[in-house]
Amino acid sequence: MANYIIRRLFMLVVILFSASLIIFLIMKAAPGDPATVLLGENATKQAIIEVNAKYGLDKPLPIQYVKMMTNLLKGELNSIYYKDNVLKIVTKRLPATLELGFFAIVLAVAISVPVGIISAVKRNSIFDYLAMSTALLGVSIPVFFTGIILMYVFAVKLSWLPASGFGGHIWTAEGFKHFILPGISLSFVLMSSTTRLTRSAMLDVINQDYMRTAKAKGLSKMKIILTHGLKNAMIPIVTNIGNQVASIFAGAVLTETVFSWPGVGRLAVDAVFRRDEPLVFGAVVMLAGIYVVVNLFVDILYAFIDPQISYD
């Protein structure tokens, strides 16, 4: 196990390096000039030259990348717009994104796994048809559109929940109210895909020999489903949840923008419009780091779910 983790950590470094290079090249391929955006279209040529020189934007691309990456690793990368340390800015916004993502994942799993199990046990029932139709709808609708619909219904028409903004941490009453709409919006795709996969995985194990043997021993139906069925169906479910973490953070960019959420996603969007390249670079690399770490955790979790899996 230790050797596997070391190899994966090495791969993590390679993946983050590749991701950072791709992000850097995409930023450079985007139209516009950071100095012009910062100073305005009426800025003089001399002022633009001075800003480019100050932030090293007049250097060749390889030198710019090395300098940006080095400054990020040393914690010395500064935002062009905020004129402050990028890690400090991102770290300040990160808790809001992590809380929203954690809430969305917990909500999705808490609803989708039981619904998927019931759909498999009551196959072709009214409940099954409704659940699968809703799940199909969930994977078909974009995150931002779901957010707008929820906002219109529950905030504008019914006035039950706040439309946008951050009301505090999730463990506070006011904060939790602000988490509900963006959390549901962000979790809807994960909820839908996990429901469908749970149903499919449970249908595969329900007719296995060990399930019939457990029934012949006189075990209750609930114990058979949860102890024998769900345990053996967990590998694809956990895999899907781990893979969907990327969608959670990618969706956070849109969700945070729609709900004016003060997280890293909205910060990155604002930085793109302001052509704040160091801030975009730092924010996206940090989100990529969270994604690969979570996937490493999911792979390690396999060995605890299924003892037959070994990384030695």
Side-chain angles (χ1 to χ4, degrees), residues 38-60:
L38 181 65
L39 298 174
E41 295 183 357
N42 296 325
T44 63
K45 282 189 176 181
Q46 183 60 34
I48 293 175
I49 291 172
E50 289 176 0
V51 170
N52 285 332
K54 179 180 179 181
Y55 292 100
L57 300 174
D58 55 346
K59 300 290 192 298

Side-chain angles (χ1 to χ4, degrees), residues 281-302:
F281 187 80
V284 178
V285 168
M286 188 168 290
L287 289 178
I290 293 172
Y291 170 62
V292 295
V293 168
V294 169
N295 273 272
L296 172 60
F297 174 76
V298 170
D299 287 347
I300 295 172
L301 191 61
Y302 290 159

Side-chain angles (χ1 to χ4, degrees), residues 31-308:
D33 177 55
T36 304
V37 174
L38 181 65
L39 298 174
E41 295 183 357
N42 296 325
T44 63
K45 282 189 176 181
Q46 183 60 34
I48 293 175
I49 291 172
E50 289 176 0
V51 170
N52 285 332
K54 179 180 179 181
Y55 292 100
L57 300 174
D58 55 346
K59 300 290 192 298
L61 291 184
I63 295 177
Q64 287 189 47
Y65 172 76
V66 171
K67 183 179 179 182
M68 191 173 291
M69 194 66 184
T70 303
N71 288 340
L72 179 64
L73 295 175
K74 291 167 63 178
E76 298 176 356
L77 187 64
N78 291 321
S79 164
I80 296 176
Y81 180 82
Y82 292 100
K83 297 179 175 60
D84 199 359
N85 186 274
V86 166
L87 290 180
K88 180 181 175 181
I89 298 170
V90 175
T91 303
K92 187 177 179 180
R93 296 285 195 99
L94 190 58
T97 295
L98 292 179
E99 283 185 48
L100 181 59
F102 177 77
F103 176 74
I105 292 170
V106 170
L107 181 65
V109 173
I111 294 175
S112 61
V113 173
V115 170
I117 293 173
I118 296 171
S119 292
V121 174
K122 298 185 176 182
R123 185 181 182 184
N124 296 329
S125 65
I126 297 294
F127 181 90
D128 183 29
Y129 289 134
L130 288 175
M132 290 303 100
S133 298
T134 305
L136 180 61
L137 188 67
V139 297
S140 306
I141 300 178
V143 173
F144 70 89
F145 187 74
T146 303
I148 293 171
I149 295 298
L150 290 175
M151 188 187 300
Y152 178 75
V153 174
F154 293 101
V156 177
K157 286 295 183 181
L158 299 177
S159 299
W160 288 356
L161 296 167
S164 61
F166 182 77
H169 294 293
I170 192 171
W171 52 83
T172 64
E174 186 64 27
F176 183 75
K177 287 170 60 178
H178 284 78
F179 269 89
I180 294 175
L181 291 184
I184 293 175
S185 174
L186 190 57
S187 68
F188 202 29
V189 173
L190 174 59
M191 194 185 301
S192 302
S193 63
T194 305
T195 299
R196 291 165 60 88
L197 190 62
T198 301
R199 178 183 181 274
S200 177
M202 287 300 298
L203 287 175
D204 287 339
V205 302
I206 279 176
N207 295 319
Q208 296 294 327
D209 291 338
Y210 58 81
M211 296 288 283
R212 288 192 288 269
T213 302
K215 185 177 181 180
K217 289 180 178 179
L219 296 178
S220 65
K221 189 172 184 180
M222 180 69 70
K223 189 171 184 180
I224 293 172
I225 294 296
L226 297 180
T227 304
H228 296 278
L230 182 60
K231 183 179 179 181
N232 288 282
M234 280 302 293
I235 292 293
I237 297 172
V238 171
T239 302
N240 178 67
I241 294 171
N243 291 335
Q244 288 293 328
V245 169
S247 300
I248 289 291
F249 287 108
V253 174
L254 299 174
T255 305
E256 290 179 3
T257 302
V258 170
F259 288 95
S260 299
W261 196 261
V264 179
R266 186 183 173 199
L267 178 69
V269 171
D270 291 341
V272 168
F273 285 115
R274 292 165 179 160
R275 288 305 306 272
D276 192 344
E277 294 181 357
L279 186 52
V280 175
F281 187 80
V284 178
V285 168
M286 188 168 290
L287 289 178
I290 293 172
Y291 170 62
V292 295
V293 168
V294 169
N295 273 272
L296 172 60
F297 174 76
V298 170
D299 287 347
I300 295 172
L301 191 61
Y302 290 159
F304 293 94
I305 296 174
D306 189 350
Q308 294 181 340

